[in-house]
Amino acid sequence: MSSSSFCLTEELRCSMCLDVFSDPVTTPCGHNFCRICLKQCWDNSQIYSCPYCKKTFSKRPDLNINTTLREITLIFMEKFSLRSSKVLCDICDERKLKALKSCLTCQTSYCKTHLEPHQRALDLKKHKLLDPVENIKDYICEKHERPLELFCRDDQTCVCVFCTDGDHKNHNTVPLEEESKEKKTQLMKTQTDIQQMIQKRIKKIQDIKISAERRKRSREQEKAESDELFSNMIRSIERCQTELQETMEEEEKQDEELINNLEQEINELKRRDRELEKITDSEDHLQLIQLDMEKGRDISGLGLEVKLCFALLVEVLDVSMSLHALFSDKDGAKYNRKLASHRWPVTDMIWQLSSPASESRPMAVLRKLWFVYILDGTLDPDTANPKLILSEDRKQVKHGDIPHELPDNPKRFDSCVCVLGKDGFSSGRVYFEVQVKDKTEWTLGVVRESVNRKGNIKLTPQDGFWTLALRNENEYFACTDPAVYLSVKVKPKTVGVCVDYNEGLVCFYDVESRSHICSIFGQTFTEKLFPYFGPGLNYEGKNSAPLIISPVLIKTKGFTFKI
């Protein structure tokens, strides 16, 4: 049988019994089965589904025999001798009938009529009959002209009885029927294995189709959620623009109030200046001595002193909070839930702006500044690596090459060259500044209280470290897994660290240039956090400058800011 006919045979086989279709029927989903196979399947089940694609039907379908497929099957079986033999009777004279049996002794094939003597005569009953074969001489020993009734297992060939007295004497021979039965058993086992392989592949195809359908539905659902998310983002941006306009108007109003207050103070100062001028020009010494100088004593107390870091802190919160403000309303609640539950890739977790915060912020959120705690803490010597040198006021730390003899403390980092801040926090928003001037290497950020402090440590959020690092003088990167390298145009001298514990946000800023370096967001903090300071190795004096905790001072005299 050719390969093409074999492929067609496979197409005409029932996937349940693996035999050629018998009275084929077609299910509503388009798959074909033997009528008896499908009937037995549905009779033994309360659910009516296609055995091939598993599609379920609400009620048992009424199935009729697919006459076209049945005719094709019959024609194919006739053509390739799958149903009956083409061997004709050798005795018939005119119209030869199909042979029913072939006789090896007579070497002749007989139809039903001419076979009758072999079934009646005693001598003929002893002849060897078999199913009709075309080349009957292939079943006769060429040497002895006797039927090949035996099989030589030593030489793996068919032999006659006389062969066992000659070339095949003392060989292991068995009746041909016995060897055929054993071969048939082996072939049936092989066929069973093949059928099992076919079933496994059919199931694999079904699994692939089901998986593909699930992926398709999942992609469609993700697309719908994405469309909804972007729609919510657009609406949120529009509301943010409205808030920005309102905030600008409020800022203008505050500026006007500030100018009015300053002008009033200027007038007051000018009045006092005129009074003092009159007194200093007077020759009445007693009046000068007894003069109440309270009005002129506190001139330095008038006016406004606000450190530059205060203005920076406003910018810090404008940028770090604006991203979350976009999704803080009820329309963005769904996004917030997704942000909290989803494990973001590193590239999505790091947010960096190359332009100054004041030029890139999408909205003003100055009102949030009131809730920020300025952390002006000290270093914790119990956590310091033995090679670190801390200043007396515990505000500075640097690497000293030679380790100190310090008591064994479970809080101390023994291999990682770092130290933690004394004060921790577990809620709210916290901000602190660190001077990094003249350094070629450093690491700054926050860590959770339970981090590993012994041996080699991996600085990643998964291990409880949220840090920014400098290496080789100008290589800045967020310490994630893998690390995300950053584009920093101006080398910062002082770095500000702002943490929003509840929002899971850690931001880093250049204090002098008032620019945002990067942010790590989408985190979940569950325990106390502490500031982290890594001054880096000394490198023979090249990185000898210390890390210095800079005080963040906000001083106001004579005015009240509404934030």
Side-chain angles (χ1 to χ4, degrees), residues 170-355:
N170 299 326
H171 283 192
N172 181 16
T173 59
V174 295
L176 202 59
E177 291 82 357
E178 181 180 341
E179 182 66 19
S180 175
K181 185 177 180 180
E182 186 172 335
K183 295 290 186 184
K184 186 175 181 179
T185 302
Q186 294 176 359
L187 291 174
M188 290 177 64
K189 183 179 182 302
T190 302
Q191 186 181 15
T192 301
D193 294 340
I194 292 174
Q195 291 173 354
Q196 291 177 353
M197 292 172 65
I198 292 172
Q199 290 296 333
K200 288 181 180 179
R201 280 152 179 77
I202 291 174
K203 186 177 184 304
K204 186 65 176 178
I205 291 173
Q206 294 173 354
D207 293 342
I208 291 173
K209 288 182 178 179
I210 293 172
S211 177
E213 183 64 26
R214 288 177 179 172
R215 286 198 306 270
K216 181 180 178 182
R217 289 197 298 267
S218 176
R219 296 293 185 269
E220 290 175 350
Q221 183 178 358
E222 288 181 2
K223 182 178 181 300
E225 291 180 355
S226 178
D227 292 341
E228 180 182 357
L229 172 61
F230 282 115
S231 298
N232 292 336
M233 288 179 64
I234 292 173
R235 287 194 294 269
S236 297
I237 291 173
E238 290 174 349
R239 281 192 294 273
C240 289
Q241 290 176 340
T242 302
E243 281 191 33
L244 177 60
Q245 181 63 33
E246 294 175 354
T247 304
M248 290 173 61
E249 294 175 356
E250 180 66 23
E251 288 176 346
E252 291 177 0
K253 183 178 179 181
Q254 291 180 0
D255 290 342
E256 291 178 359
E257 293 179 358
L258 180 60
I259 291 173
N260 291 332
N261 290 334
L262 287 172
E263 289 177 346
Q264 292 176 9
E265 286 204 3
I266 290 173
N267 293 333
E268 176 67 18
L269 289 171
K270 287 181 178 180
R271 186 183 64 80
R272 291 190 182 188
D273 182 61
R274 289 193 297 269
E275 289 180 359
L276 292 175
E277 185 178 358
K278 291 180 181 179
I279 294 172
T280 54
D281 290 342
S282 173
E283 296 295 333
D284 190 342
H285 303 292
L286 182 61
Q287 184 183 14
L288 285 172
I289 295 173
Q290 295 178 347
L291 180 66
D292 182 8
M293 295 294 295
E294 288 300 324
K295 294 183 180 180
R297 184 177 301 164
D298 196 25
I299 295 177
S300 61
L302 295 174
L304 172 67
E305 178 186 355
V306 180
K307 193 181 176 185
L308 176 61
C309 66
F310 177 78
L312 169 64
L313 188 55
V314 173
E315 300 293 349
V316 165
L317 292 173
D318 283 349
V319 177
S320 63
M321 301 305 168
S322 59
L323 180 63
H324 293 271
L326 285 172
F327 308 101
S328 62
D329 54 22
K330 60 181 181 180
D331 292 330
K334 187 175 183 180
Y335 178 85
N336 274 329
R337 289 195 298 272
K338 185 174 182 181
L339 181 66
S341 63
H342 186 67
R343 184 168 181 171
W344 291 85
V346 171
T347 52
D348 293 337
M349 189 173 65
I350 301 299
W351 171 44
Q352 181 187 16
L353 296 176
S354 58
S355 58

Side-chain angles (χ1 to χ4, degrees), residues 444-467:
L444 295 174
V446 293
V447 302
R448 65 174 176 237
E449 187 173 18
S450 64
V451 293
N452 177 33
R453 308 188 185 202
K454 307 301 180 183
N456 294 329
I457 296 174
K458 197 172 184 180
L459 301 182
T460 64
Q462 292 86 346
D463 296 296
F465 294 81
W466 293 269
T467 57

